[in-house]
Structures are given as structure tokens and as C-alpha cells.
Amino acid sequence: MTITIVGGGASGFMAAITAAETFPAAQITILEKSRTVLNKVRISGGGRCNVTHRPNELRHFIKNYPRGEKLLRRLLPHFDADATVEWFEKRGVKLKTEADGRMFPVSDSSHTIIECLIKAARNLGIEIRTSVNVGSFQKNDHVFTLEITNGEPISTDRLLIATGGYPRAESFDWLEEHRHAIVSPLPSLFTFNTPDNYLLPLAGVAVKDALVKIMGTKHEWQGPLLITHWGFSGPAVLKLSAWGARDLAENDYHFTCRINWLPEMKEQEVRDFLLAEKTNTAKQQIASHARLGLPARLWKAFTEKAEIPDTLRWGDASHKVLNRMTELLMNSQFEVKGKTTFKEEFVTCGGIALSDIDPETLESRSVPGLFFSGEVIDVDGITGGFNFQNAWTTGYIVGKNIGL
């Protein structure tokens, strides 16, 4: 039996290795259109590769997938984050868990993961071919024929599409022609561009905890926030963009976001604190010393926005001035006019509709012998290792079933 995998990424390699171990008589080939394999692994996590995430309790873990939660509820018990850790450690790669739950190789280098996967594949006799672009395929008499750009056609008994997400709908045309419904692809992880934002000069300033809400929707997320040259980024914004991906696209990425810079406090608590400062530090200038754990530059920007002179002391502050500060701290609003996606971290929502795939094996319902795994299907997670876990899990499931 011959098995061909289109896509030399994380999911494709996991599927190939699992298939080779499960069906040792099979001839397995990975086809990658780029000159090198595992390119997203190489550059993800700033070159460290965020392999997966812990803790791993299923009901909490699956809540990190804006799309695909139902499918992964069925698949993760077969190969979850703990299984991923065990899989790599069995092959000599130890992983570590950081404070926020993200897991990286102890080496802090994605090359450790790449070398592990390539070594495992080669030890199992898997052929890896690069610079091979599959333009289309046909199936006749149980055999697939792959048309290769500038190359000879390839025949195979089983076929896995693990090409990752496509940013444009037309990129799915070669799959749609085989009676597969395509959920329109859209960016899922992106930052918010706020060109009129008075905080832009503070690029690089971060807060550990902020609550960001998209006005007019139920979408909100609390977590670290980063001010950038073009607007807002950081986990709170990236995760919020994933959950709101389709709604924000419908509005052409023009919307209002509200930021609560002190989400663990109630508005009255903030107001009472500021009023208490009138007595406790009456002679101190308001703008000169940050309060409430906020970065000094951010505090100063808020005092300027509240029209507080540098010389104004706490004891001389009017209730009107303190109310303006309270509003800025608890209810800052910014007009978002566009997005910025990270090329190296690009994730799409959309892809092969899950209704067209057998949820137990990930085999196509319309084309027997054809399988899908990874981001090419309509599953995507927030940042933190969840998209790689989808790749490992779906690749493993396909590998276990593709030779049956």
C-alpha cells in the first residue's frame, strides 16, 4: 500500500510517522511545496515552538477552540497534550511548562522539534520530497493520481491533505471540485490597528492584565495587553480576535473596542481609591507617580488625556478630574480601523467543512481513501499551543486509520 501526504508540516509529519508505525508495510511519502519542511514549526513562538498547552483537562482544554470544539471533544481523548508530551519525551525531547501554561522544548529551540520529527520519519523509511507542488488530483479505480507542477504525476492508494490553512478561498478550489464544502477562510489571530490612538507613542508598554471587549458584541477577553506602533496586541487581543474573527470580518475590521485597565477592581473601588489619594498623598503631583500597578508612561498618558496639569497635586484635584481618570482606567474606548496579521503566526479559521469529514477517522465522506488533518479543516485555536495540538491530534488520528 502507498500513502501520500500533501503537506510537510506538523500534522503531516505526525500522520506519516503514526501511519508508518501502525502500517509498517506501507510505502509513505511526504510532499512539500516549499524547499524545506516544518516551516511553521521553525518560526513559531519566536523560534521556540509552542508545542502544546497544560493543564490538560478536556472540558477546559476544548474551550480554547473558537471553531472545532465538538470534533476535538471526540478526538483529544485518543491523543491529547499529555500524549504529545509523552510522544516527544519518548523520542528524547523534553518539554517544559511556563507560568501561563504554554509548553516549549527545554532547549527553547524549534530545531529540537524539527530534528525529532525528521529523524523519526527517516528512521521509519518515510520519503520526504520538497519543492513538489500538487496542483490537483483525480481518483480512478481506488487509485489517486496527483498532478504535479513541473513534474511527473504521482499515483497512490491513500491520500492525506495536510497543507495548513489557506488565506484565500480560491486556494481551496482544487479540493472543492471533489464535492467538499469549504467554509470561507479568514484570518483568526490578528492585532487591532487604531491609527487615532493617543497611546501609540507608548509602543512597547505592556500591562499584565486588561479586559478588552468588542462593543456591540459578546466578545471579550482578559489577559496581558501590549501597546504597539499601530494599536494593540498581546494575548488578550489575539485571543479576542480569534473568537470574533467572523464578526469582525463582516464589519471590515472597523469597530470600537473598550479596555478596562483594572479588570480585578470595580469602578467604585477605583473611584474610592483615587478619592483617598486626595488625603493620603495630598501634596504629591498626580502625574509624577503611577498608581494601581500601571506602568508609569501609561499613567502619564492617562493624566494628559484627563487634562491634568503636571503641577496638579492630589489634594487640589476636583471630583470632576478624578471621575475623568476613573473613566479612562475602567472604560477606555478606541476606534479600530483594520488589522495586522503576523506572517509567521498566521492562522485561519475556515477550511474543509467538518460535516464533510468522518469525525472518527477524518476520512472524506465523499471520496473514500482521502483524509484531512491540521489547519486545512475548519478548526482553529487561540494562541498558546492549541493550534499545534490540533495538528498533532488530527495527524495522529489519520495515521491510525489511513491504512485500514
Side-chain angles (χ1 to χ4, degrees), residues 148-308:
I148 309 301
T149 305
N150 298 323
E152 293 294 319
I154 295 174
S155 295
T156 187
D157 299 311
R158 300 284 192 275
L159 177 62
L160 166 63
I161 307 298
T163 50
Y166 292 117
R168 296 182 302 275
E170 55 267 27
S171 298
F172 285 94
D173 287 350
W174 68 299
L175 301 175
E176 194 170 24
E177 68 183 42
H178 293 279
R179 305 187 302 282
H180 291 107
I182 306 298
V183 179
S184 180
L186 293 169
S188 178
L189 295 176
F190 50 85
T191 61
F192 295 169
N193 293 354
T194 54
D196 303 322
N197 183 356
Y198 65 93
L199 297 178
L200 294 183
L202 276 62
V205 170
V207 295
K208 293 181 179 179
D209 196 29
L211 177 64
V212 187
K213 179 177 176 59
I214 298 170
M215 301 296 285
T217 76
K218 296 180 180 179
H219 301 303
E220 63 179 31
W221 201 275
Q222 183 175 334
L225 178 71
L226 173 68
I227 301 170
T228 71
H229 290 291
W230 55 86
F232 297 111
S233 185
V237 168
L238 292 173
K239 292 175 180 179
L240 181 58
S241 75
W243 286 100
R246 295 210 171 275
D247 289 339
L248 300 183
E250 288 178 6
N251 291 311
D252 197 27
Y253 305 101
H254 283 62
F255 56 94
T256 301
C257 78
R258 184 177 73 191
I259 301 177
N260 178 349
W261 301 92
L262 302 167
E264 295 303 317
M265 297 182 71
K266 295 179 180 178
E267 186 170 326
Q268 190 58 48
E269 290 177 325
V270 174
R271 186 173 284 106
D272 290 344
F273 175 87
L274 297 181
L275 284 170
E277 290 299 275
K278 282 175 62 68
T279 303
N280 297 336
T281 57
K283 295 183 178 181
Q284 197 172 89
Q285 294 171 337
I286 298 173
S288 62
H289 294 86
R291 296 291 194 274
L292 298 164
L294 293 173
R297 292 174 63 199
L298 182 60
W299 178 266
K300 183 66 165 59
F302 288 151
T303 62
E304 292 175 357
K305 186 68 173 177
E307 300 177 353
I308 297 174

Side-chain angles (χ1 to χ4, degrees), residues 110-131:
S110 60
H111 289 289
T112 304
I113 303 299
I114 293 171
E115 290 168 4
C116 171
L117 291 167
I118 291 177
K119 180 181 178 181
R122 286 182 172 158
N123 285 345
L124 289 164
I126 297 167
E127 183 182 7
I128 302 170
R129 295 179 58 185
T130 58
S131 300

